[in-house]
Amino acid sequence: VDARLSLGLLPIASTTFVSVFRVFSPWAAGTTDPEDEFFGELAQTGDVTWNYRFYHATDASRLAPWQNPGGDFSPDQPLLTSTGEGTGNVVFYTSPELIADVQSMLDQPDQHFGWLLAGDESSVFSNLLQAGSSENEDEAVRPKLEITYVAPTDFTKMIANYDALVTVAGMGEEGERDNHWKNAFEGGNALDAELSRPSTAVAAEDGTIYFTDTYGHAIRKVTTEGLIETVAGTGVEGYNLDEGPALEVQLDQPNGLAVMPNGNLYILDIDNKRVRKVTPDGQLTTVFHDETDPPFLTGRGLWVSPDEQTIIYGSRTALKRWTASDDAITVLADGFTRLTNIGLDVRTGNFLGADVDDDSVWRIDIETGDRQQIAGGGRQSNTGIDPMDADLEGVRGLAVSRHGGYFLTAEEGGNIWYVDTAGLAHVLLRGSGDSNLHAGEGQILRDLVASTENVLSQPFAITIAPNGDLVIVTNETGFIRVIRKGRQPEITGVGLDGEGGFGVIWNSQVQRVYLVEETEDLETWNVLSEVPSNSNSTTFIDPNISLLPHRLYRVRFYYP
């Protein structure tokens, strides 16, 4: 919004007039500290001089000259040329050009090399400006850059933390809603496999992606090496067993899926009216068979508690709960037209549910059964709008992030949406409700968001991987696509800072936001700071380390 450069004038100054130019080449900060700063002294290794942006006193091969003596800048393109304003010996300088240049410094810090200040040299003594340096004993006269800014929105921070959109499975062959699986696909490249209208995909802790190949009547996985394998189902619809080797048990249009940290896989086997479990050793059991009212029909919403003792799932018009302690099924909420995906809001303990036939999204209190519409019903496809005005025609996919924002996919509307923590709906990816569109491959999310082009069609589902990746299912013909998170932070250094604080340093990426968290027991993590990064290495100093006997740290992306 605003940026002001302030200089503290020293007694010898006779003017406050200055010009500011952007420097186009990197230069050394300088090592010389002359006693008489007015006249200076001989250059030392590491100084910047009139002829060299990096001077070396003994090795001529390491001299780095300016392209133009005096500095690489455009003398006819100043960011400002003005007399400073202020009181006492501190003066301020600003201009629209300077403000824009500060923004470019923040946007691309690795391409910004600072400024050169020049005075009016027509008369050396009457136009003399001398200002305190950053090492001046008087802090009041040190130069400062004061920035007034609008904090980035939740949506802005979220998209900044993501990188490329990539396809991990599916070849996108046109076809009917039937089984397209061929034995030749087994164990092969997942991008060469023809999928059979997959409905949802979820990622495991190790990066493996599991998905329901619904009309193939099977559960398949994409390994981290990009290979596709069947993990459950015979490929023939129907019912034959309640338990046994997972590859010998028939499934009938499996539609929902949940994967646990221990590797257990839960399947919503819709037409068999069962929830199944597959263990890492490949054995399948039936958790329960639902014959209660309202009938167990279409749905793909499936949530399993961390202890695997409670399962909450969608059953067309109702949200139901099964509990292991009494093997009982109860209705938590009813009155939906056709409930599809569900998601838990960990902040409130409530569930969100997408009603595909009503084009709406609901917040559900599982204690009272009360439900409140929070999105859908409109026909707008603008960004930054009230979620109730958003075009969510055919809303199926729903994924709730830890901090409260949530993602939606509208199959017939074609778009993927993000509703931020301020309650505004944004178009994340644009798409079509029909055709077999498959575009945007390898492009960065922030570029896709800024574009008005359609990059997908018929988005069926979206889930959030343990590492934060967004896993998306699109198209009748079936693609599994992933929007990758940025590179995971790696702590590169820790230690005392010499002033009673403790520092943590990590490899980072520009324009990313990180959370520094602490714990004393590895169970409860507390947020210490939200740290934006403008370089490839970021540091956080904890000033209160001396107050604690010990503390453990971790650094992670802020979203989701």
Side-chain angles (χ1 to χ4, degrees):
V1 176
D2 192 15
R4 298 197 310 174
L5 173 66
S6 67
L7 300 177
L9 303 185
L10 300 182
I12 198 171
S14 61
T15 182
T16 60
F17 180 85
V18 71
S19 296
V20 177
F21 303 88
R22 181 168 177 171
V23 181
F24 300 135
S25 302
W27 49 279
T31 59
T32 300
D33 184 19
E35 292 183 6
D36 188 340
E37 294 190 3
F38 184 75
F39 291 102
E41 63 180 38
L42 293 177
Q44 301 175 16
T45 299
D47 281 338
V48 57
T49 72
W50 181 265
N51 290 317
Y52 300 102
R53 52 192 178 88
F54 181 87
Y55 178 80
H56 201 285
T58 60
D59 187 350
S61 66
R62 298 180 63 182
L63 291 170
W66 294 106
Q67 294 183 18
N68 300 293
D72 296 338
F73 66 99
S74 296
D76 58 344
Q77 295 180 355
L79 298 175
L80 65 84
T81 298
S82 67
T83 300
E85 299 180 1
T87 58
N89 61 343
V90 177
V91 293
F92 303 94
Y93 303 88
T94 188
S95 71
E97 293 78 12
L98 182 70
I99 295 170
D101 198 63
V102 169
Q103 184 63 58
S104 73
M105 179 194 300
L106 298 173
D107 292 339
Q108 297 178 307
D110 58 338
Q111 299 179 30
H112 199 288
F113 306 113
W115 300 317
L116 182 145
L117 277 61
D120 179 0
E121 298 182 347
S122 59
S123 174
V124 175
F125 292 100
S126 63
N127 296 321
L128 182 66
L129 186 151
Q130 187 179 29
S133 73
S134 60
E135 298 177 355
N136 196 286
E137 294 180 356
D138 184 358
E139 184 176 351
V141 300
R142 296 174 187 171
K144 296 181 180 66
L145 177 63
E146 298 174 295
I147 302 172
T148 304
Y149 65 94
V150 175
T153 65
D154 171 46
F155 181 60
T156 299
K157 290 189 286 187
M158 185 275 295
I159 61 175
N161 274 339
Y162 281 93
D163 284 339
L165 171 67
V166 297
T167 303
V168 298
M171 58 188 298
E173 288 292 325
E174 298 279 3
E176 300 296 328
R177 294 188 180 186
D178 52 20
N179 191 348
H180 300 286
W181 185 257
K182 298 180 177 63
N183 290 335
F185 298 152
E186 194 71 46
N189 189 328
L191 294 173
D192 295 332
E194 190 175 351
L195 309 184
S196 307
R197 201 177 188 270
S199 56
T200 193
V202 294
E205 295 278 353
D206 65 356
T208 302
I209 294 177
Y210 296 86
F211 67 93
T212 57
D213 204 17
T214 301
Y215 282 83
H217 310 291
I219 307 300
R220 313 198 199 277
K221 72 177 182 180
V222 180
T223 69
T224 54
E225 291 77 28
L227 305 179
I228 191 167
E229 300 172 6
T230 304
V231 297
T234 65
V236 178
E237 64 182 309
Y239 168 80
N240 63 344
L241 297 168
D242 260 342
E243 62 181 52
L247 295 175
E248 297 178 10
V249 178
Q250 285 179 286
L251 304 175
D252 198 338
Q253 293 195 24
N255 223 22
L257 206 58
V259 61
M260 309 305 292
N262 61 10
N264 287 340
L265 191 67
Y266 286 83
I267 306 166
L268 203 61
D269 192 2
I270 289 294
D271 282 8
N272 282 325
K273 300 182 179 180
R274 286 166 166 81
V275 169
R276 318 275 205 159
K277 180 174 77 171
V278 179
T279 55
D281 61 359
Q283 294 299 304
L284 182 147
T285 57
T286 296
V287 182
F288 63 86
H289 180 197
D290 183 1
E291 291 286 3
T292 66
D293 288 327
F296 189 10
L297 296 169
T298 57
R300 64 186 62 176
L302 179 65
W303 177 86
V304 182
S305 64
D307 62 3
E308 302 181 43
Q309 299 300 296
T310 303
I311 296 177
I312 295 177
Y313 60 103
S315 178
R316 196 176 184 95
T317 63
L319 182 68
K320 294 182 177 181
R321 173 171 57 197
W322 170 87
T323 51
S325 58
D326 53 8
D327 193 27
I329 296 172
T330 56
V331 174
L332 297 176
D334 204 350
F336 301 98
T337 307
R338 184 154 58 112
L339 188 62
T340 53
N341 276 296
I342 62 173
L344 173 66
D345 183 347
V346 296
R347 301 171 310 145
T348 64
N350 295 330
F351 276 80
L352 273 57
D355 191 333
V356 62
D357 284 353
D358 190 48
D359 304 331
S360 57
V361 180
W362 299 79
R363 184 177 298 278
I364 307 157
D365 187 326
I366 63 172
E367 299 299 327
T368 65
D370 294 338
R371 60 195 187 103
Q372 175 189 9
Q373 186 178 349
I374 58 174
R379 284 293 175 261
Q380 294 187 35
S381 293
N382 301 326
T383 197
I385 62 174
D386 187 322
M388 299 292 284
D389 295 329
D391 179 5
L392 299 181
E393 186 177 4
V395 60
R396 289 184 182 272
L398 186 154
V400 188
S401 67
R402 287 190 298 260
H403 70 285
Y406 57 95
F407 301 87
L408 302 169
T409 68
E411 176 191 350
E412 295 175 42
N415 292 336
I416 295 180
W417 293 79
Y418 176 72
V419 181
D420 66 21
T421 54
L424 297 177
H426 306 264
V427 177
L428 190 68
L429 295 179
R430 296 192 178 275
S432 167
D434 53 22
S435 77
N436 197 35
L437 186 61
H438 181 264
E441 189 71 10
Q443 294 188 42
I444 302 301
L445 179 59
R446 64 173 174 263
D447 296 334
L448 294 173
V449 171
S451 172
T452 58
E453 296 182 7
N454 292 341
V455 297
L456 47 79
S457 53
Q458 299 171 311
F460 288 154
I462 186 168
T463 58
I464 303 172
N467 71 349
D469 288 351
L470 299 178
V471 184
I472 302 168
V473 180
T474 71
N475 301 68
E476 288 273 357
T477 54
F479 290 108
I480 312 296
R481 308 186 77 179
V482 175
I483 304 178
R484 302 288 190 197
K485 285 295 287 292
R487 184 179 64 248
Q488 292 297 308
E490 178 185 353
I491 293 179
T492 58
V494 294
L496 296 173
D497 69 345
E499 299 181 5
F502 190 82
V504 181
I505 304 172
W506 62 93
N507 286 334
S508 58
Q509 290 174 277
V510 174
Q511 295 183 320
R512 297 297 195 270
V513 180
Y514 297 88
L515 278 186
V516 179
E517 299 174 308
E518 63 83 21
T519 184
E520 294 185 46
D521 55 15
L522 287 178
E523 294 182 1
T524 302
W525 290 88
N526 303 305
V527 177
L528 285 176
S529 182
E530 176 184 329
V531 184
S533 172
N534 284 322
S535 67
N536 294 324
S537 181
T538 301
T539 302
F540 167 76
I541 301 295
D542 182 359
N544 299 317
I545 191 65
S546 61
L547 304 178
L548 298 169
H550 67 276
R551 178 175 273 178
L552 304 172
Y553 298 86
R554 73 179 180 191
V555 179
R556 65 177 176 87
F557 281 116
Y558 188 75
Y559 291 96

